[in-house]
Amino acid sequence: MKIKPLADRVLIEPKPAEEKTASGIIIPDTAKEKPLEGKVIAVGPGTKDVTMEVKVGDKVLYGKYAGTEITVDSKEYLIMRQSDILAII
């Protein structure tokens, strides 16, 4: 990975949006909701006040408007502070 987050930031690969509902209805692109779950790809070292609780490979839940979207090698990622992560699942 070319990106190394600084301080208490975390790089997350969002889970792809659902293509179909449970009953088999195909969801158009305009109606897809932003996923709120993802996989941790890289973790910063933390700060003297914040120890990092997430680690690479963790699956996490985050807020709907959390983080900044970035594109690296044509893949979409989110970078956010650890405090924006709601839970490890």
Side-chain angles (χ1 to χ4, degrees):
M1 175 56 54
K2 297 177 187 177
I3 298 177
K4 173 133 178 69
L6 299 176
D8 63 340
R9 290 186 173 70
V10 179
L11 184 70
I12 296 175
E13 181 178 10
K15 180 180 173 184
E18 294 292 326
E19 300 287 328
K20 287 184 180 181
T21 63
S23 60
I25 298 172
I26 297 175
I27 302 171
D29 288 338
T30 56
K32 289 180 184 172
E33 288 199 21
K34 184 177 173 183
L36 303 176
E37 182 179 329
K39 181 179 177 183
V40 176
I41 302 298
V43 178
T47 64
K48 65 179 181 176
D49 298 327
V50 178
T51 56
M52 299 305 284
E53 302 206 13
V54 296
K55 60 186 181 303
V56 174
D58 283 348
K59 288 186 180 181
V60 295
L61 295 175
Y62 49 86
K64 189 169 190 171
Y65 301 106
T68 302
E69 295 177 355
I70 60 171
T71 303
V72 178
D73 297 332
S74 71
K75 287 189 81 173
E76 296 289 324
Y77 296 100
L78 286 171
I79 192 160
M80 65 183 71
R81 292 188 179 275
Q82 178 178 259
S83 60
D84 292 335
I85 296 173
L86 304 175
I88 298 172
I89 52 174

